[in-house]
Amino acid sequence: MSVQESTFHGFANPVDPSSAELRSWAYQPDSVPLTSMPPDWDLLVSGDRLIMTLFDLAMDAHCPARRFALHCLYIYAADGIRTSFRAHPKRRFRKLVDQAERNGDEMMRTWAHNSRVLLSRPELFVYREWCEGGLVREGRRL
């Protein structure tokens, strides 16, 4: 049985979910609505430990929580770039961007493009766009 087919029973610790829990929730996001999550849950899960899971979810056009995962990728990119990669390894970030450019659909290529633009021009950072979901909602390129 795949994760998508299994029933999601909630998070043992919503502040620090496991990769399997996050993946299971992403395919049944209505089981635990985002509104019931801790404040700034998107910021909490957007770190190195879960970024590969979030990336996989964002790459899956059939994932019901895909836009949430993409939103977390925007947070991850901005956090890394704005801290000169003290928050996240630059190598991992570059691998994700390269993979999104090579294998992603338009949404993922837009994220990769915007991430490269911010990397070359960090002054273009706007909190609302990168950390509050503006670029995900608008789906636009910088």
Side-chain angles (χ1 to χ4, degrees), residues 16-19 22-23 42-59 68-80 87-97 99 108 111 115:
D16 188 23
S18 71
S19 178
L22 184 61
R23 189 176 300 278
D42 52 349
L43 301 175
L44 293 171
V45 300
S46 297
D48 286 319
R49 199 173 65 72
L50 294 170
I51 200 61
M52 296 310 295
T53 301
L54 289 162
F55 184 81
D56 290 345
L57 296 170
M59 288 287 280
F68 174 79
L70 181 61
H71 165 63
C72 291
L73 290 179
Y74 272 102
I75 292 170
Y76 182 83
D79 199 27
H88 309 299
K90 189 174 194 174
R91 192 167 150 244
R92 177 177 290 156
F93 166 74
R94 286 193 182 276
K95 284 172 98 172
L96 294 173
V97 169
Q99 191 175 343
M108 291 302 290
W111 170 77
S115 295

